[in-house]
mmCIF file of all heavy atoms in Angstrom:
data_model
loop_
_atom_site.group_PDB
_atom_site.id
_atom_site.type_symbol
_atom_site.label_atom_id
_atom_site.label_comp_id
_atom_site.label_asym_id
_atom_site.label_seq_id
_atom_site.Cartn_x
_atom_site.Cartn_y
_atom_site.Cartn_z
ATOM 1 N N GLY A 36 220.345 161.946 106.975
ATOM 2 C CA GLY A 36 220.784 162.793 108.081
ATOM 3 C C GLY A 36 222.241 163.141 107.922
ATOM 4 O O GLY A 36 222.944 162.644 107.051
ATOM 5 N N ARG A 56 254.347 171.257 103.358
ATOM 6 C CA ARG A 56 255.141 171.032 102.140
ATOM 7 C C ARG A 56 255.746 172.326 101.615
ATOM 8 O O ARG A 56 256.896 172.377 101.201
ATOM 9 C CB ARG A 56 254.268 170.401 101.065
ATOM 10 C CG ARG A 56 254.992 170.229 99.740
ATOM 11 C CD ARG A 56 254.067 169.640 98.688
ATOM 12 N NE ARG A 56 253.734 168.266 99.013
ATOM 13 C CZ ARG A 56 254.478 167.249 98.666
ATOM 14 N NH1 ARG A 56 255.599 167.447 98.013
ATOM 15 N NH2 ARG A 56 254.122 166.022 98.982
ATOM 16 N N PRO A 117 253.650 156.355 93.207
ATOM 17 C CA PRO A 117 254.586 156.772 94.263
ATOM 18 C C PRO A 117 254.728 158.272 94.365
ATOM 19 O O PRO A 117 255.210 158.771 95.361
ATOM 20 C CB PRO A 117 255.910 156.112 93.835
ATOM 21 C CG PRO A 117 255.525 155.015 92.919
ATOM 22 C CD PRO A 117 254.276 155.474 92.238
ATOM 23 N N THR A 121 250.324 159.778 99.968
ATOM 24 C CA THR A 121 249.736 158.590 100.558
ATOM 25 C C THR A 121 250.032 158.590 102.043
ATOM 26 O O THR A 121 251.189 158.735 102.436
ATOM 27 C CB THR A 121 250.310 157.309 99.922
ATOM 28 O OG1 THR A 121 250.119 157.384 98.523
ATOM 29 C CG2 THR A 121 249.618 156.078 100.486
ATOM 30 N N TRP A 140 259.491 165.409 98.355
ATOM 31 C CA TRP A 140 259.442 163.973 98.645
ATOM 32 C C TRP A 140 257.992 163.505 98.594
ATOM 33 O O TRP A 140 257.126 164.004 99.291
ATOM 34 C CB TRP A 140 260.023 163.690 100.022
ATOM 35 C CG TRP A 140 261.361 164.285 100.191
ATOM 36 C CD1 TRP A 140 261.731 165.320 100.986
ATOM 37 C CD2 TRP A 140 262.546 163.909 99.486
ATOM 38 N NE1 TRP A 140 263.054 165.594 100.838
ATOM 39 C CE2 TRP A 140 263.580 164.754 99.929
ATOM 40 C CE3 TRP A 140 262.827 162.925 98.532
ATOM 41 C CZ2 TRP A 140 264.873 164.652 99.465
ATOM 42 C CZ3 TRP A 140 264.101 162.818 98.057
ATOM 43 C CH2 TRP A 140 265.115 163.672 98.518
ATOM 44 N N SER A 170 248.421 157.152 121.553
ATOM 45 C CA SER A 170 249.253 156.940 120.382
ATOM 46 C C SER A 170 250.340 155.919 120.683
ATOM 47 O O SER A 170 250.766 155.758 121.824
ATOM 48 C CB SER A 170 249.895 158.259 119.946
ATOM 49 O OG SER A 170 248.916 159.206 119.612
ATOM 50 N N PRO A 182 261.010 144.323 112.726
ATOM 51 C CA PRO A 182 260.704 143.140 111.889
ATOM 52 C C PRO A 182 261.307 143.203 110.501
ATOM 53 O O PRO A 182 261.877 142.217 110.020
ATOM 54 C CB PRO A 182 259.172 143.145 111.849
ATOM 55 C CG PRO A 182 258.753 143.852 113.090
ATOM 56 C CD PRO A 182 259.800 144.899 113.330
ATOM 57 N N SER A 198 277.584 133.908 98.372
ATOM 58 C CA SER A 198 277.142 133.217 99.574
ATOM 59 C C SER A 198 277.290 134.174 100.745
ATOM 60 O O SER A 198 278.096 135.110 100.703
ATOM 61 C CB SER A 198 277.963 131.937 99.818
ATOM 62 O OG SER A 198 279.341 132.251 99.956
ATOM 63 N N PHE A 205 276.711 144.287 103.160
ATOM 64 C CA PHE A 205 275.383 144.892 103.095
ATOM 65 C C PHE A 205 274.597 144.763 104.397
ATOM 66 O O PHE A 205 273.525 145.329 104.513
ATOM 67 C CB PHE A 205 274.565 144.234 101.969
ATOM 68 C CG PHE A 205 275.179 144.370 100.614
ATOM 69 C CD1 PHE A 205 275.797 143.288 100.008
ATOM 70 C CD2 PHE A 205 275.140 145.566 99.934
ATOM 71 C CE1 PHE A 205 276.357 143.400 98.750
ATOM 72 C CE2 PHE A 205 275.704 145.700 98.680
ATOM 73 C CZ PHE A 205 276.321 144.614 98.086
ATOM 74 N N GLU A 294 288.991 158.712 101.366
ATOM 75 C CA GLU A 294 290.145 159.599 101.408
ATOM 76 C C GLU A 294 290.034 160.606 102.552
ATOM 77 O O GLU A 294 291.035 160.922 103.208
ATOM 78 C CB GLU A 294 290.275 160.335 100.071
ATOM 79 C CG GLU A 294 290.788 159.464 98.932
ATOM 80 C CD GLU A 294 292.228 159.025 99.161
ATOM 81 O OE1 GLU A 294 293.093 159.907 99.347
ATOM 82 O OE2 GLU A 294 292.476 157.808 99.180
ATOM 83 N N TYR A 383 299.723 159.715 66.864
ATOM 84 C CA TYR A 383 301.114 159.253 66.890
ATOM 85 C C TYR A 383 301.380 158.288 68.055
ATOM 86 O O TYR A 383 302.513 158.144 68.503
ATOM 87 C CB TYR A 383 302.061 160.453 66.996
ATOM 88 C CG TYR A 383 301.920 161.411 65.840
ATOM 89 C CD1 TYR A 383 301.283 162.637 66.017
ATOM 90 C CD2 TYR A 383 302.401 161.086 64.570
ATOM 91 C CE1 TYR A 383 301.139 163.526 64.961
ATOM 92 C CE2 TYR A 383 302.252 161.974 63.505
ATOM 93 C CZ TYR A 383 301.622 163.182 63.706
ATOM 94 O OH TYR A 383 301.475 164.042 62.658
ATOM 95 N N ALA A 397 298.088 133.594 80.329
ATOM 96 C CA ALA A 397 297.778 133.242 81.718
ATOM 97 C C ALA A 397 296.349 132.721 81.854
ATOM 98 O O ALA A 397 296.083 131.773 82.609
ATOM 99 C CB ALA A 397 297.996 134.457 82.617
ATOM 100 N N VAL A 495 270.058 128.606 71.433
ATOM 101 C CA VAL A 495 271.018 129.027 72.448
ATOM 102 C C VAL A 495 270.666 130.422 72.958
ATOM 103 O O VAL A 495 270.738 130.703 74.163
ATOM 104 C CB VAL A 495 272.447 129.000 71.876
ATOM 105 C CG1 VAL A 495 273.444 129.537 72.890
ATOM 106 C CG2 VAL A 495 272.825 127.581 71.470
ATOM 107 N N GLY A 516 266.761 141.480 84.058
ATOM 108 C CA GLY A 516 265.730 141.710 83.063
ATOM 109 C C GLY A 516 266.129 142.727 82.020
ATOM 110 O O GLY A 516 265.787 142.582 80.835
ATOM 111 N N LYS A 546 274.359 153.389 74.296
ATOM 112 C CA LYS A 546 273.645 153.575 75.556
ATOM 113 C C LYS A 546 274.347 154.608 76.439
ATOM 114 O O LYS A 546 273.703 155.395 77.127
ATOM 115 C CB LYS A 546 273.565 152.241 76.309
ATOM 116 C CG LYS A 546 272.777 151.162 75.594
ATOM 117 C CD LYS A 546 271.311 151.514 75.482
ATOM 118 C CE LYS A 546 270.532 150.415 74.798
ATOM 119 N NZ LYS A 546 269.096 150.771 74.613
#
Side-chain angles (χ1 to χ4, degrees):
R56 176 182 292 274
T121 305
W140 308 111
S170 299
S198 59
F205 300 105
E294 286 294 304
Y383 300 106
V495 176
K546 297 294 181 183

